[in-house]
């Protein structure tokens, strides 16, 4: 069992377009490390992260999901995100919970729309970024072209840490093992030299040593410089993998464990104190003995369980007896039960420290983007808000049955608490309730949830335009 040491934690968000294989990759990593007995399948509806009935019906992720596994003494939290453009806001909303954003691309589909925005959002959150090319067994002859396209889009800082071989049936490490077999394209030696050149550029002493004697600079000496290159966006490593066949999983796990940052190595979270123009940056450190500071990045409202707040601890230690304040609230709540999530399953844990992703239930005051803390010294702390796109589409709704107004209002309040991209307005000029979302699929899912989860049926129509007469 992994301890609560900061050095033993990794947090990664799997982002990318629909169909790239993010959920399958999470499943394969959990199965490979023994977190689950066997990898589930999307077409059978047996994956850990796609547990909602609608997700299983559509065979695509519609919500963010949290899972974890342990490997070589390191606990890795994965945040699986939906890939449909209508749900990109949900992907962006979870980025404050991690140090690394891994863009998962399909070797078949290649570069798709929306990926630039995801990577820009990760950059704005000052996250380390990497790219995982999945399904390398499907189109092995196109992988060199895809890598070139990635470099065209994101720059020459996108360099492979491993290369596919034997028609995508395996991969060879190019960073730790500069000597290896023949690859499907390029060569291990060339890839090794490129990535070493890129890493040493951020450290003058290493650069001098490398120029004087390249063979004397070993990969093990480059850890700190590698982390710095990731933090500064000077390097965006690329890994090749097949979640279906397992090719490249060991290499990817090696990268996660040895090269990706732990909570103390990533860029510090952009916490602010105060509001508006008077807000000032404050330093939050991954110190388990300091005041607790945690950020709620996801809320789930279940008709039977109640409200669950999922949060990332940035500072301090939370136990089952901790008293936490929500924002500037004067009265704290007691953490009676502290949970770690594995899809829809909850495992109760005695304590959690910096870097951990946890959940509490039945705290009705908890909201998305809340800051939890154990001292009034942090009453006015908040994270710099993520850049969310405004709603793109609206529908006016009214009850399908007379007398359901309160039921519909309650359903909308609960759904908007879960979804940071869902907005509800009452427009007095037209006397209409308008539901605003990111697109047709987003609003359709909202209406279906209202009906299936809360038995609240509505009739929809386009919002009325409040024409005003002009008198000349």
């Amino acid at each position: 069992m992994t301890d609560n040491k900061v050095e033993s934690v990794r947090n990664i968000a799997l982002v990318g377009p629909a169909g790239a294989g993010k959920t399958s990759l999470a499943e394969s990593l959990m199965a490979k490390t023994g977190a689950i007995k066997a990898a589930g399948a999307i077409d059978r509806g047996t994956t850990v992260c796609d547990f909602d009935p609608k997700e299983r019906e559509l065979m695509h992720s519609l919500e963010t999901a949290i899972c974890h596994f342990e490997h070589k003494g390191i606990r890795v939290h994965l945040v699986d995100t939906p890939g449909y453009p209508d749900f990109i806001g949900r992907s962006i909303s979870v980025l404050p919970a991690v140090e690394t954003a891994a863009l998962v691309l399909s070797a078949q589909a290649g570069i798709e729309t929306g990926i630039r925005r995801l990577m820009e959002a990760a950059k704005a959150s000052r996250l380390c970024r990497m790219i995982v090319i999945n399904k390398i067994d499907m189109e092995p002859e196109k992988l060199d072209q895809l890598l070139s396209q990635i470099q065209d889009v994101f720059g020459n800082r996108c360099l492979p840490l491993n290369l596919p071989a034997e028609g995508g049936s395996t991969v060879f490490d190019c960073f730790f093992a500069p000597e290896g077999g023949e690859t499907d394209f390029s060569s291990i030696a060339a890839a090794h030299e490129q990535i070493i050149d890129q890493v040493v550029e951020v450290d003058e002493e290493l650069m001098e040593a490398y120029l004087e004697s390249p063979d004397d600079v070993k990969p093990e000496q480059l850890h700190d410089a590698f982390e710095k290159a990731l933090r500064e966006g000077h390097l965006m490593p690329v890994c090749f993998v097949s979640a279906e066949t397992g090719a490249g999983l060991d290499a990817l796990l090696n990268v996660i464990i040895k090269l990706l940052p732990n909570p103390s190595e990533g860029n510090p979270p952009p916490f602010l104190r105060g509001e508006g123009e008077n807000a000032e940056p404050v330093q939050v450190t991954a110190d388990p003995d300091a005041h607790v500071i945690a950020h709620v990045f996801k809320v789930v409202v279940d008709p039977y369980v109640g409200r669950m707040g999922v949060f990332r601890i940035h500072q301090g230690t939370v136990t089952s007896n901790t008293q936490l304040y929500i924002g500037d609230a004067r009265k704290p709540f007691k953490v009676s039960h502290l949970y770690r999530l594995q899809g829809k399953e909850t495992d109760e844990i005695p304590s959690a420290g910096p870097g951990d992703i946890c959940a509490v239930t039945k705290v009705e005051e908890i909201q998305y983007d809340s800051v939890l803390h154990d001292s009034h010294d942090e009453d006015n702390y908040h994270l710099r808000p993520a850049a969310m796109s405004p709603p793109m589409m609206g529908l006016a709704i009214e009850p399908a049955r007379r007398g359901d107004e309160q039921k519909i209002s309650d359903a909308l309040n609960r759904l908007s608490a879960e979804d940071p991209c869902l907005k509800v307005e009452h427009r007095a000029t037209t006397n209409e309730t308008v539901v605003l979302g990111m697109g047709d699929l987003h609003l359709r899912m909202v209406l279906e949830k209202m009906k299936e989860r809360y038995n609240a049926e509505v009739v929809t129509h386009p919002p009325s335009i409040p024409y005003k007469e002009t008198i000349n």
Side-chain angles (χ1 to χ4, degrees):
M1 179 67 69
T2 303
D3 57 29
N4 283 335
K5 290 183 179 179
V6 176
E7 297 79 9
S8 303
V9 178
R10 305 289 185 275
N11 294 307
I12 306 165
L14 301 178
V15 301
K22 301 182 293 296
T23 302
S24 297
L25 179 59
E27 201 76 11
S28 296
L29 288 170
M30 286 188 285
K32 183 76 175 178
T33 56
I36 55 177
K37 292 182 179 179
I42 290 175
D43 56 356
R44 295 197 300 269
T46 55
T47 60
V48 170
C49 292
D50 285 355
F51 52 84
D52 184 84
K54 187 58 66 174
E55 291 178 317
R56 293 177 174 176
E57 177 187 332
L58 297 177
M59 292 191 291
H60 279 287
S61 300
L62 302 175
E63 304 280 355
T64 57
I66 294 88
C67 60
H68 66 275
F69 61 84
E70 296 181 5
H71 184 61
K72 296 184 177 179
I74 303 295
R75 181 171 58 255
V76 181
H77 297 278
L78 295 178
V79 184
D80 184 27
T81 66
Y84 279 125
D86 279 24
F87 303 114
I88 192 171
R90 296 182 183 177
S91 300
I92 294 173
S93 70
V94 301
L95 293 181
V98 302
E99 281 74 44
T100 304
L103 175 65
V104 182
L105 299 177
S106 165
Q108 289 178 294
I111 303 292
E112 298 185 63
T113 58
I115 64 170
R116 289 179 181 85
R117 186 176 165 204
L118 285 168
M119 293 302 261
E120 284 300 316
K123 179 182 178 181
S125 296
R126 304 181 67 219
L127 301 184
C128 301
R129 293 170 290 168
M130 68 178 296
I131 296 172
V132 178
I133 299 177
N134 191 18
K135 305 183 182 181
I136 61 172
D137 56 310
M138 304 296 287
E139 301 279 355
E141 69 280 358
K142 295 182 180 180
L143 295 177
D144 58 337
Q145 300 174 23
L146 178 55
L147 181 59
S148 297
Q149 292 170 0
I150 289 170
Q151 291 172 337
D152 289 341
V153 174
F154 298 113
N156 291 329
R157 58 188 167 180
C158 300
L159 297 173
L161 288 175
N162 51 51
L163 287 171
E166 301 175 15
S169 62
T170 188
V171 303
F172 288 148
D173 176 52
C174 302
F175 184 72
F176 293 106
E179 306 293 333
E182 185 176 348
T183 57
D184 289 343
F185 66 91
S186 187
S187 70
I188 294 175
H192 179 79
E193 183 178 356
Q194 284 181 327
I195 202 158
I196 299 298
D197 286 348
Q198 191 77 3
V199 170
V200 298
E201 285 180 0
V202 302
D203 189 303
E204 290 185 6
E205 291 184 7
L206 271 176
M207 173 74 85
E208 291 178 6
Y210 181 65
L211 292 175
E212 290 177 5
S213 181
D215 293 338
D216 290 341
V217 177
K218 304 300 181 185
E220 292 75 16
Q221 299 173 253
L222 300 176
H223 179 270
D224 291 347
F226 194 99
E227 301 286 353
K228 184 178 180 181
L230 286 177
R231 288 194 302 270
E232 295 179 354
H234 190 69
L235 173 65
M236 202 180 295
V238 179
C239 293
F240 292 87
V241 71
S242 171
E244 181 68 25
T245 67
L249 287 180
D250 284 325
L252 180 58
L253 284 168
N254 203 37
V255 169
I256 292 172
I257 300 306
K258 293 184 177 180
L259 297 177
L260 294 190
N262 65 50
S264 66
E265 294 171 327
N267 285 314
F271 275 94
L272 303 171
R273 177 168 47 201
E275 300 294 337
E277 297 180 356
N278 297 322
E280 299 177 348
V282 289
Q283 186 175 9
V284 173
T285 60
D287 181 356
D289 298 320
H291 288 173
V292 173
I293 299 177
H295 175 253
V296 179
F297 66 91
K298 180 179 173 68
V299 171
V300 180
V301 184
D302 187 277
Y304 305 103
V305 178
R307 184 174 296 230
M308 173 188 288
V310 186
F311 58 93
R312 154 70 191 270
I313 301 173
H314 291 278
Q315 180 176 288
T317 300
V318 178
T319 70
S320 57
N321 292 316
T322 302
Q323 302 269 351
L324 291 177
Y325 298 95
I326 302 173
D328 59 0
R330 310 316 297 171
K331 184 179 179 181
F333 72 91
K334 182 182 178 182
V335 181
S336 300
H337 301 281
L338 186 65
Y339 299 103
R340 183 169 290 140
L341 300 180
Q342 190 75 305
K344 68 176 179 180
E345 303 298 329
T346 55
D347 300 322
E348 189 165 358
I349 55 176
S351 65
D356 277 330
I357 293 176
C358 310
V360 292
T361 58
K362 299 179 181 178
V363 182
E364 293 303 315
E365 297 79 14
I366 209 164
Q367 302 284 342
Y368 165 75
D369 212 27
S370 298
V371 171
L372 310 180
H373 53 95
D374 62 354
S375 167
H376 283 303
D377 292 345
E378 289 83 31
D379 275 355
N380 296 315
Y381 278 33
H382 60 93
L383 265 181
R384 183 180 295 117
M388 296 284 191
S389 294
M392 307 294 290
M393 183 177 179
L395 280 177
I397 62 171
E398 55 187 67
R401 296 184 296 267
R402 184 177 298 176
D404 276 1
E405 288 83 0
Q406 188 59 47
K407 183 187 294 186
I408 290 171
S409 176
D410 292 343
L412 288 173
N413 285 336
R414 290 168 180 164
L415 291 174
S416 58
E418 293 182 314
D419 189 347
C421 296
L422 176 65
K423 307 299 179 187
V424 181
E425 295 180 355
H426 180 74
R427 297 181 176 174
T429 53
T430 57
N431 194 30
E432 289 177 335
T433 298
V434 178
V435 179
L436 301 160
M438 301 305 296
D440 178 71
L441 178 61
H442 183 200
L443 292 179
R444 186 150 41 93
M445 292 300 102
V446 169
L447 298 180
E448 289 187 15
K449 280 185 181 179
M450 289 177 65
K451 179 180 178 181
E452 295 171 5
R453 191 187 293 182
Y454 301 105
N455 192 28
E457 293 188 54
V458 296
V459 176
T460 66
H461 58 83
S464 301
I465 299 174
Y467 292 107
K468 296 181 180 180
E469 185 177 357
T470 301
I471 301 175
N472 293 324

